[in-house]
Amino acid sequence: GLKTMYPEHPYGRTVDGTTDSLAKFTKEDLHALHRASFGRDNLVIGVIGDISAEELAPLLDAAFGDLPEKAAPIDIADVQPKANGAVVVQRMSIPQSVVMFGHGAIKRDDPEFYAAIVMNHILGGGTFSSRLYQEVREKRGLAYSVYSYLNPFEKGPLYMGQVATENARVKESIDIIRAEWKGMAEGRVTEEEVKSAKTYLTGSYALRFASAADMSRMLVNTQIDGNGTDYFAKRNSFIDAVSLADVKRVAARLLKADQLTFFVVGNPAGL
């Protein structure tokens, strides 16, 4: 799917590489990449544990002090995902088809990002409560799970989702997802849905800090996103500030049913 969305961009390449690409580089290539790309100016660290700043500082110096002061810049261009509403099928003899879908989205620093989070919770991010789950699984029994999520790539963000269903009902599932996409874009959302989504998103936020590993990861992520040290105290207020009008506005802006592109692996009927 990503290769189709980003045919000429690094985002379209697999992180694991290919048989051909892995055979082409040497140990020296890896050392050269490390020397060029790893520097103290782009190093982000999050530490959680029973240690003081005074105790930690020399340990960080010992681990990272010999890195170059500055890393070589990596020039990756902004890119617009090539989502044109197509349904791309990779035939495979399996009883169920796995379907990924998506189109372009908004960046993490967009002023309407939190409204988009609330909107996505209602549409497909809220698991059992979401529109997609109710229409695809609960009402029709088409799939075990169906969901959507924001993937805010820095250079070319995506709004994505996934569903798996039996081959005979893939087309029906795709039609329902497109219809829900269109309905939300047209403003079919209620005050109660927005209130419920905000209650869940704010109430469940503390679960992201369940372990030291979770907390250190959050410390790193918030620095990468460019948020201040008070972000964790403020985050729920950003969600609480989202209104029904905000959700409708970002839905109209973001959701493009005619651009929603599907990638199917399986042997679907009627496609």
Side-chain angles (χ1 to χ4, degrees), residues 42-223:
N42 66 4
L43 181 64
V44 176
I45 300 173
V47 179
I48 297 291
D50 185 14
I51 190 170
S52 68
E54 292 73 18
E55 294 171 305
L56 178 63
L59 300 178
L60 295 180
D61 287 342
F64 305 112
D66 61 349
L67 287 175
E69 181 181 353
K70 292 185 177 298
I74 300 175
D75 186 20
I76 300 177
D78 281 4
V79 61
Q80 184 66 33
K82 293 186 180 301
N84 57 7
V87 178
V88 181
V89 179
Q90 177 67 51
R91 293 287 170 181
M92 185 178 291
S93 296
I94 51 178
Q96 273 199 334
S97 289
V98 177
V99 184
M100 293 192 70
F101 51 90
H103 60 46
I106 58 178
K107 293 187 177 184
R108 177 65 180 79
D109 59 357
D110 190 285
E112 293 190 306
F113 188 77
Y114 292 98
I117 289 176
V118 175
M119 182 211 70
N120 175 63
H121 186 87
I122 298 167
L123 178 58
T127 313
F128 306 115
S129 66
S130 76
R131 296 267 188 91
L132 295 183
Y133 189 92
Q134 289 297 317
E135 293 297 326
V136 174
R137 174 176 169 162
E138 290 298 296
K139 292 184 180 180
R140 298 172 178 85
L142 295 177
Y144 180 73
S145 70
V146 57
Y147 56 88
S148 63
Y149 57 96
L150 291 159
N151 198 341
F153 289 141
E154 181 182 358
K155 301 297 183 178
L158 284 176
Y159 193 4
M160 302 179 69
Q162 184 168 326
V163 66
T165 189
E166 60 182 284
N167 290 319
R169 307 191 74 178
V170 173
K171 185 178 185 303
E172 182 182 359
S173 298
I174 289 175
D175 290 344
I176 293 167
I177 292 167
R178 278 200 200 279
E180 291 304 315
W181 223 258
K182 186 172 185 290
M184 183 72 82
E186 292 174 347
R188 297 178 212 165
V189 59
T190 68
E191 187 74 59
E192 184 58 37
E193 285 178 308
V194 173
K195 180 181 177 182
S196 178
K198 288 162 59 174
T199 297
Y200 180 89
L201 289 167
T202 55
S204 64
Y205 187 53
L207 299 178
R208 299 190 186 184
F209 304 88
S211 71
D214 291 335
M215 288 187 281
S216 61
R217 190 178 304 112
M218 293 286 282
L219 286 173
V220 168
N221 289 342
T222 194
Q223 292 178 81

